[in-house]
Amino acid sequence: MAAEVMLINEIEAKAASMAIDLNIDFNSIQLPRGEDCGIVSDDEDVYHDDQLEFDSGFGNVIVVDNLPVVPSEKFEKLEGVIRKIYSQIGVIKEDGLWMPVDPETKKTLGYCFIEYNTPQEAELAKEKTNGYKLDRAHIFAVNMFDDFDKYMRVPDEWAPPEIKPYTPGENLQKWLTDEKARDQFVIRAGTDTEVLWNDARQSKTELVYKRSYWTESFVQWSPLGTYLATVHRQGAAVWGGANTFNRLMRYAHPQVKLIDFSPGEKFLVTYSSHEPSNPHDANRVVINIFDVRTGKVMRDFKGSADEFTIGGAGGVAGVSWPVFRWGGGKEDKYFAKLGKNMISVYETETFSLIDKKSLKVENVVDFSWSPTDPILALFVPELGGGNQPARVSLVQIPSKVELRQKNLFSVSDCKMYWQSNGEYLAVKADRYTKTKKSTYTGFELFRIKERDIPIEVLELDNKNDKIIAFAWEPKGHRFAVIHGDNPRPDISFYSMKSSHNLGRVSKLTTLKGKQANALFWSPGGRFIVLAGLKGFNGQLEFFNVDELETMATAEQFMATDIEWDPTGRYVATAVTSVHEMENGFNIWSFHGKLLYRILKDHFFQFLWRPRPPSFLSAEKEEEISKYLKKYSKKYDAEDQDVSMLLSEQDREKRRMLKEEWEKWISEWRRASEEEKLERQRLRDGEASDEEEEYEAKEVEVEEILDFSEEVLFEE
Amino acid sequence: MRPILMKGHERPLTFLKYNRDGDLLFSCAKDHTPTVWFADNGERLGTYRGHNGAVWTCDVSRDSTRLITGSADQTVKLWNVQKGTQLYTFNFGSPARSVEFAIGDKLAVITTDPFMELTSAIHVKRIAGDPTEQTEESVLVIKGPQGRINRAVWGPLNRTIISAGEDAVIRIWDSETGKLLKESDKESGHKKTITSLTKAADGSHFLSGSLDKSAKLWDTRTLTLIKTYGTERPVNAVAMSPLLDHVVLGGGQDASAVTTTDHRAGKFEAKFYDKILQEEIGGVKGHFGPINALAFNPDGKSFSSGGEDGYVRLHHFDPDYFNIKI
């Protein structure tokens, strides 16, 4: 906006002519509503209120309709009744209840307005009392004031919707076409969030986009890498674009805490939890499911936190996230929620329950989807002191047919691990020993893709070993287990195939006494990083499972996070701000060579940008790996060129630095030479400056420290 | 070569200083007794008894006859280096943090801490040739910087004084009038307390180390920033090789946090950097605790480090150190 420039004395003259006092009392200034002009209020309460108010400022007002019409003498009685009903739900603001009266008949008009302290209370009131029967003739119709506004604006006559001309969007996947085939990642340190290229050839990063205060809590990539989601007080937003990051869509959800994308990134689930007005109630949970591209709310779920915390994983800690687990592969067809004695499976065509009812399973505590197929694995614990055994079953969706079931005896706990292609399911079962005093662990291995889903039981060589970690090889048939009670546990590798019999699991090897407590398979399989986080101070071992050999051992001291890049070429290890010192990240090659290291204070997040799955068929991929030599030639040559160029640039840079330094130092010498006489004068004419070498002379000094004479008497 | 461990202090080291010939090493510590060592073999030559508080700093005259020490007992003392006797005591109202002789050894600059109602100050004292003629009064007193002034040194030809301290600003003062001439740039300068400052052998540039985990190299005349050396822990001490283009940074996490973490977490190493290329060359481990003091022998062939652990470690370089190429 172009403002007219006015000199201050002109303003003063003008003010004087209009008799306006220019001495402004700053306390009297009120900023426009909803606008802080960049000034942050230091008043905690004001700040809090701002957070809760919606844009229009009437989010906390409801309209109650279908009230009895009463003459003025009964007005107070009715008002008392209404106040009684509505103050149970939340705190009505002072003068927050207004029941208009017909000025002629002095009768009420049959509706009233109620203003609450918070929009949450208003919403709750609407939910609870809409349809409330005061008596037979008076059933309350409650609406949000804001909605009223909205409905009023609906035009009476239908007009054909305007057809917007199609504007081609940006190519949101342009980053995949990078000429140097690099990958991107996002980091958050201090107030800055940066998206960077991993330029491993040049051992450095290249900035794509940087922004301060981009998010208020964290950032998250969508599962296929198309979007970067940021989280704000007012809701979530997604960003993307061909060459930079523009905001593509906003999803209003006040005080959103957590977000989750569906695997095919069609939908975004947002979650918030609100303090109840009554301290005895559980927190109120609001969950919205948005369509990522249109930004429309497809379905919302509201309720007390209790309704969302059923099941084993959530427990005392509260809602286990994600509440809704997406299944059915990348098509985003189904999502499911664990409830008390049931699993509610929804489908995304209508966003309603399949067959309009939940899947009833008594006492179910955990379930998980196959990553590729619409199959649910669910776990029911032991009941009645062992009379009814624990059970794992596989259920097909949407038919709800049980494909396979296995009863497990004296089981204390179960964990389910799917292989990434959905070919295998491993169920880790902790069983009581006969005395019930301790537990031991075994695995039930399901072969999902084979006929009748055969199950195999696997026990470790020493079955009393505690299992520290378990991980499937992505897209592969192997898995790794860290087990043992020692401070240095063992790591075993197993294959679902053995050399002579394809249907049997076999052990490949056991590595004894490793400093590791976490497993990180390369997304391409074959390689694995055995990491010792936390207590082991960041020990890293890069292991080749094909050759069963260690490629490298390394350490990033105090490492907290490890993540493979989506292609399996690089590994990032990071120290986040849980530690005070050494914050930053390292980039390693897949075989454990440190490529570069970047230090950043207050380092919070490191996330590789995911890639969508390859379009190549399995046969084509095999063909490429067969003729890899042919393809790699071109890249080897490029690599060499780059490294030549790099060392050339490096040399040049160093030469420049040295030259610059020499120039500066010679300049200084000249000045220093000019001052030489002056310096001599300061030293009383002592000619030597620091330039001259001193001479070492051997001087013998004899000093008499003490002299005494004693007379010795001789006998 | 294996370092020589010199155990003579009972409390953390605070400062190290070689004489001009490089045959003597003076060490100050929080115990009350500055000590002099043979810089070659680490043999203890003697101590200077008389202070009644932690000794923060010292300097030795060009001819190695006088030692000046500053202490938390609110005094600065002049000593006879050879005999270990006190020659004179300057009294202040607050602890003395840094001292340095001017070119010609006829002046000394002393900084004092803020204490009670007193603010921090830079004092210039005239040093008499004959100790019996020594007087107490200051030639010049400069006040202004907020907080402690951790180091003040003389500029070229004693015309300026360079000071640095808790307010993270480096200032150049006129040593005649006490006028502020230059201040380091807020943007490019340090962000946290400057803990140490050391001049190059020819005085052309100086190096400052700070708790903001960096050290910076500055032009002594213009106060322009020449280089920055980043590290991963707070820097307590800095030194520059007079022989090669190397700088050494020492430090580590706060002493109070040491007991709660692995000893490797503190990174109590002396780190070597190429002065011109700003690249890390290597590190020398050893201290159990942060490094508080570093000094290079004027011949550039050895250096010593003093730690919170109370040890002085004297390192003679191996021959291959002098052939490092990067």
Side-chain angles (χ1 to χ4, degrees):
Chain A
M1 205 166 38
E4 258 187 61
V5 180
M6 227 173 162
L7 290 172
I8 191 76
N9 49 16
E10 280 176 33
I11 296 171
E12 274 167 6
K14 183 102 180 168
S17 70
M18 294 170 75
I20 296 169
D21 188 4
L22 267 185
N23 296 319
I24 299 162
D25 174 14
F26 280 94
N27 290 324
S28 74
I29 298 176
Q30 283 203 337
L31 294 171
R33 204 185 177 86
E35 166 66 78
D36 59 3
C37 298
I39 305 160
V40 180
S41 170
D42 49 6
D43 185 340
E44 197 57 40
D45 288 333
V46 171
Y47 189 62
H48 200 65
D49 271 351
D50 276 354
Q51 275 191 356
L52 297 176
E53 245 150 26
F54 283 113
D55 289 344
S56 71
F58 293 114
N60 50 349
V61 179
I62 55 169
V63 184
V64 185
D65 210 346
N66 280 350
L67 295 175
V69 176
V70 295
S72 54
E73 53 268 30
K74 280 192 175 173
F75 180 91
E76 275 186 24
K77 192 176 175 197
L78 179 63
E79 198 191 50
V81 169
I82 294 167
R83 191 178 288 280
K84 200 174 160 193
I85 293 169
Y86 283 94
S87 55
Q88 284 171 356
I89 293 160
V91 181
I92 299 174
K93 271 198 182 169
E94 209 176 312
D95 298 329
L97 200 160
W98 183 52
M99 192 153 47
V101 177
D102 190 310
E104 280 173 23
T105 60
K106 302 287 176 206
K107 278 183 175 178
T108 62
L109 293 168
Y111 56 85
C112 76
F113 300 88
I114 298 169
E115 186 176 7
Y116 279 107
N117 264 340
T118 65
Q120 281 78 20
E121 285 168 326
E123 206 158 304
L124 193 67
K126 175 196 158 191
E127 231 169 81
K128 284 205 171 167
T129 62
N130 192 17
Y132 178 87
K133 284 183 184 164
L134 190 67
D135 53 46
R136 191 172 294 174
H138 299 105
I139 299 167
F140 285 6
V142 186
N143 281 295
M144 303 296 290
F145 186 82
D146 278 353
D147 289 345
F148 239 84
D149 233 22
K150 197 165 72 193
Y151 299 138
M152 290 291 285
R153 255 183 262 140
V154 175
D156 288 340
E157 262 175 56
W158 183 81
E162 231 177 282
I163 294 166
K164 283 184 196 157
Y166 171 72
T167 46
E170 281 182 282
N171 178 4
L172 297 179
Q173 297 187 318
K174 185 144 182 268
W175 97 96
L176 291 170
T177 61
D178 180 48
E179 270 182 16
K180 296 176 201 160
R182 299 171 298 181
D183 273 291
Q184 289 187 351
F185 56 86
V186 63
I187 56 168
R188 216 154 54 75
T191 57
D192 291 345
T193 304
E194 291 171 64
V195 178
L196 302 159
W197 287 110
N198 165 33
D199 205 332
R201 269 181 183 160
Q202 312 216 25
S203 292
K204 66 181 173 94
T205 59
E206 191 187 316
L207 187 69
V208 180
Y209 188 75
K210 176 176 177 171
R211 198 173 165 129
S212 293
Y213 303 103
W214 198 357
T215 177
E216 281 172 49
S217 46
F218 60 92
V219 292
Q220 190 174 326
W221 292 106
S222 62
L224 306 181
T226 316
Y227 310 106
L228 183 71
T230 57
V231 178
H232 308 269
R233 224 158 42 202
Q234 303 86 348
V238 295
W239 306 70
N243 300 310
T244 176
F245 281 82
N246 301 315
R247 190 167 61 215
L248 302 172
M249 191 50 74
R250 278 195 282 195
Y251 311 96
H253 186 154
Q255 289 176 281
V256 58
K257 290 259 160 49
L258 297 164
I259 59 170
D260 182 39
F261 281 96
S262 65
E265 62 185 35
K266 282 203 189 94
F267 304 105
L268 177 73
V269 186
T270 58
Y271 163 90
S272 68
S273 156
H274 304 276
E275 290 280 327
S277 47
N278 181 350
H280 300 296
D281 291 348
N283 279 9
R284 252 176 68 74
V285 166
V286 178
I287 294 172
N288 287 324
I289 301 178
F290 293 94
D291 183 303
V292 168
R293 270 190 292 189
T294 62
K296 252 176 41 194
V297 180
M298 304 309 289
R299 169 108 199 223
D300 57 350
F301 295 86
K302 288 170 192 171
S304 85
D306 297 339
E307 294 168 44
F308 295 94
T309 47
I310 299 146
V316 197
V319 177
S320 77
W321 186 254
V323 170
F324 292 104
R325 300 179 201 167
W326 292 87
K330 304 281 181 217
E331 286 92 52
D332 294 347
K333 265 197 176 136
Y334 308 106
F335 60 98
K337 174 176 92 72
L338 191 63
K340 193 161 198 168
N341 294 333
M342 63 181 184
I343 296 171
S344 310
V345 187
Y346 302 80
E347 45 90 18
T348 54
E349 219 133 282
T350 59
F351 277 87
S352 57
L353 287 170
I354 290 180
D355 303 338
K356 302 206 172 74
K357 32 179 202 284
S358 297
L359 188 63
K360 291 265 183 272
V361 189
E362 283 295 314
N363 291 310
V364 60
V365 293
D366 196 14
F367 77 95
S368 73
W369 285 96
S370 155
T372 49
D373 304 294
I375 297 175
L376 272 177
L378 53 91
F379 169 61
V380 181
E382 199 168 80
L383 284 174
N387 284 338
Q388 198 183 324
R391 175 161 66 95
V392 171
S393 34
L394 296 172
V395 179
Q396 177 107 43
I397 299 295
S399 63
K400 301 189 182 174
V401 172
E402 193 166 78
L403 298 173
R404 192 77 162 89
Q405 183 196 344
K406 168 105 187 191
N407 288 335
L408 303 165
F409 292 91
S410 38
V411 162
S412 70
D413 195 19
C414 253
K415 273 244 153 57
M416 293 173 277
Y417 302 93
W418 284 92
Q419 184 252 16
S420 70
N421 284 358
E423 287 171 50
Y424 310 110
L425 169 69
V427 176
K428 187 188 91 176
D430 295 334
R431 288 191 170 86
Y432 292 114
T433 51
K434 278 194 181 124
T435 58
K436 292 227 164 188
K437 275 182 183 147
S438 58
T439 58
Y440 67 97
T441 308
F443 291 96
E444 311 282 328
L445 301 164
F446 292 68
R447 295 170 192 272
I448 309 292
K449 298 279 159 91
E450 281 170 39
R451 236 190 86 186
D452 295 338
I453 313 186
I455 303 172
E456 200 172 338
V457 180
L458 172 73
E459 277 179 359
L460 297 174
D461 296 348
N462 176 5
K463 59 182 188 177
N464 292 326
D465 273 0
K466 212 174 81 190
I467 307 293
I468 297 164
F470 175 96
W472 282 101
E473 176 182 34
K475 298 182 203 159
H477 56 87
R478 293 176 287 209
F479 59 89
V481 185
I482 305 183
H483 55 94
D485 296 316
N486 302 331
R488 287 163 163 265
D490 300 341
I491 301 173
S492 295
F493 292 93
Y494 293 87
S495 168
M496 291 299 281
K497 299 169 184 166
S498 46
S499 52
H500 49 278
N501 185 348
L502 285 179
R504 275 198 72 79
V505 65
S506 64
K507 192 168 95 169
L508 300 171
T509 188
T510 297
L511 311 171
K512 293 272 181 200
K514 290 287 176 192
Q515 290 202 24
N517 49 18
L519 299 164
F520 297 91
W521 281 94
S522 156
R526 193 167 160 198
F527 306 110
I528 188 169
V529 175
L530 317 171
L533 305 178
K534 290 177 190 141
F536 289 132
N537 290 337
Q539 295 289 332
L540 307 170
E541 182 166 343
F542 295 78
F543 193 79
N544 180 340
V545 185
D546 274 3
E547 310 292 331
L548 295 177
E549 64 179 15
T550 300
M551 297 181 291
T553 52
E555 181 194 64
Q556 184 186 13
F557 190 60
M558 291 296 185
T560 54
D561 294 84
I562 294 178
E563 204 184 346
W564 283 85
D565 87 324
T567 61
R569 295 176 295 174
Y570 306 104
V571 183
T573 61
V575 179
T576 54
S577 60
V578 291
H579 296 298
E580 228 174 88
M581 315 258 294
E582 314 260 332
N583 277 199
F585 63 91
N586 287 0
I587 303 288
W588 312 77
S589 73
F590 73 94
H591 55 277
K593 186 178 157 225
L594 179 62
L595 299 174
Y596 59 95
R597 165 184 180 91
I598 288 177
L599 296 172
K600 292 245 180 209
D601 268 357
H602 304 288
F603 193 75
F604 298 118
Q605 264 189 308
F606 182 104
L607 292 171
W608 288 102
R609 187 172 195 171
R611 280 169 178 261
S614 162
F615 288 113
L616 296 177
S617 63
E619 295 80 48
K620 186 81 187 159
E621 265 182 47
E622 204 161 299
E623 193 193 310
I624 289 175
S625 62
K626 205 166 154 193
Y627 299 109
L628 192 65
K629 281 240 167 70
K630 196 176 89 191
Y631 294 105
S632 68
K633 226 175 224 160
K634 179 182 144 207
Y635 295 102
D636 284 344
E638 261 176 44
D639 275 358
Q640 205 168 357
D641 287 352
V642 168
S643 83
M644 291 274 278
L645 185 72
L646 210 62
S647 56
E648 186 55 41
Q649 277 174 353
D650 226 31
R651 265 202 296 278
E652 185 62 17
K653 197 180 116 206
R654 286 177 177 189
R655 204 180 52 77
M656 290 271 289
L657 279 171
K658 292 247 187 210
E659 251 171 35
E660 220 171 274
W661 179 262
E662 287 303 326
K663 207 174 120 204
W664 183 80
I665 236 28
S666 64
E667 177 67 20
W668 211 90
R669 287 234 173 84
R670 201 182 47 73
S672 179
E673 196 62 28
E674 280 168 17
E675 290 167 354
K676 192 170 177 177
L677 278 175
E678 188 77 6
R679 262 204 303 281
Q680 279 186 18
R681 196 184 55 73
L682 280 171
R683 290 200 175 116
D684 296 333
E686 195 185 329
S688 88
D689 228 356
E690 36 282 303
E691 295 85 20
E692 277 153 64
E693 279 291 308
Y694 58 90
E695 224 178 297
K697 274 187 215 161
E698 230 166 87
V699 186
E700 256 178 57
V701 183
E702 239 173 74
E703 239 179 290
I704 297 163
L705 295 173
D706 200 5
F707 186 82
S708 65
E709 214 168 90
E710 273 177 61
V711 182
L712 299 171
F713 296 98
E714 270 179 79
E715 292 294 320
Chain B
M1 225 167 91
R2 276 176 69 88
I4 298 167
L5 232 71
M6 292 138 76
K7 175 75 182 154
H9 289 289
E10 287 163 3
R11 300 279 322 274
L13 268 286
T14 55
F15 199 78
L16 291 167
K17 179 82 194 174
Y18 282 93
N19 66 345
R20 192 175 89 95
D21 304 330
D23 61 340
L24 298 178
L25 172 65
F26 297 88
S27 64
C28 303
K30 286 188 187 167
D31 61 15
H32 308 166
T33 327
T35 302
V36 60
W37 317 76
F38 279 117
D40 186 43
N41 58 10
E43 199 179 310
R44 185 160 68 168
L45 189 59
T47 54
Y48 299 91
R49 287 183 187 278
H51 274 301
N52 202 16
V55 181
W56 292 120
T57 175
C58 72
D59 194 17
V60 60
S61 66
R62 186 178 158 91
D63 58 6
S64 303
T65 57
R66 304 279 187 82
L67 179 73
I68 186 166
T69 56
S71 162
D73 67 3
Q74 312 190 350
T75 65
V76 168
K77 287 181 191 286
L78 281 169
W79 309 81
N80 181 318
V81 168
Q82 201 176 7
K83 296 202 175 97
T85 51
Q86 285 182 46
L87 299 176
Y88 192 79
T89 301
F90 298 100
N91 286 298
F92 296 92
S94 62
R97 182 64 54 172
S98 112
V99 293
E100 199 196 42
F101 283 125
I103 301 171
D105 297 331
K106 287 197 250 339
L107 293 168
V109 61
I110 298 164
T111 68
T112 53
D113 286 353
F115 188 66
M116 310 290 275
E117 280 93 63
L118 290 171
T119 57
S120 59
I122 304 168
H123 307 258
V124 178
K125 301 273 185 191
R126 198 172 293 289
I127 305 295
D130 180 351
T132 55
E133 291 167 16
Q134 183 63 49
T135 53
E136 172 90 30
E137 69 262 32
S138 301
V139 182
L140 179 71
V141 179
I142 303 169
K143 287 180 184 167
Q146 289 293 309
R148 248 180 227 161
I149 304 166
N150 283 327
R151 195 89 184 111
V153 297
W154 293 96
L157 297 180
N158 301 345
R159 282 180 190 154
T160 55
I161 292 169
I162 304 157
S163 76
E166 273 185 345
D167 60 0
V169 182
I170 299 175
R171 293 185 176 81
I172 296 188
W173 311 85
D174 187 314
S175 62
E176 288 282 321
T177 62
K179 223 179 82 186
L180 180 63
L181 300 177
K182 283 191 179 71
E183 265 188 341
S184 63
D185 187 38
K186 276 254 156 54
E187 278 298 303
S188 62
H190 285 294
K191 301 286 179 285
K192 286 189 184 164
T193 298
I194 299 169
T195 49
S196 51
L197 192 157
T198 183
K199 285 189 286 185
D202 62 0
S204 62
H205 51 283
F206 66 88
L207 183 67
S208 59
S210 161
L211 297 184
D212 68 5
K213 303 181 184 174
S214 74
K216 288 173 189 284
L217 197 70
W218 308 81
D219 186 317
T220 312
R221 281 165 207 270
T222 60
L223 198 62
T224 40
L225 180 67
I226 308 171
K227 305 274 177 193
T228 299
Y229 311 93
T231 168
E232 59 241 51
R233 57 254 139 94
V235 178
N236 295 342
V238 292
M240 269 188 279
S241 167
L243 197 63
L244 302 174
D245 284 323
H246 290 171
V247 301
V248 192
L249 314 183
Q253 80 196 118
D254 217 12
S256 59
V258 168
T259 50
T260 59
T261 46
D262 189 296
H263 70 99
R264 285 177 303 169
K267 289 267 184 169
F268 309 127
E269 280 176 72
K271 283 258 187 224
F272 279 69
Y273 289 76
D274 188 289
K275 184 164 33 175
I276 302 165
L277 304 177
Q278 290 158 273
E279 287 170 41
E280 193 178 312
I281 305 168
V284 178
K285 291 182 193 169
H287 282 288
F288 187 83
I291 292 173
N292 291 340
L294 282 170
F296 251 100
N297 192 308
D299 68 4
K301 289 174 184 159
S302 64
F303 83 103
S304 54
S305 55
E308 188 77 13
D309 57 4
Y311 283 101
V312 178
R313 297 174 77 92
L314 179 59
H315 305 263
H316 289 276
F317 292 115
D318 287 330
D320 43 354
Y321 164 77
F322 301 99
N323 300 323
I324 296 173
K325 283 269 177 316
I326 55 170

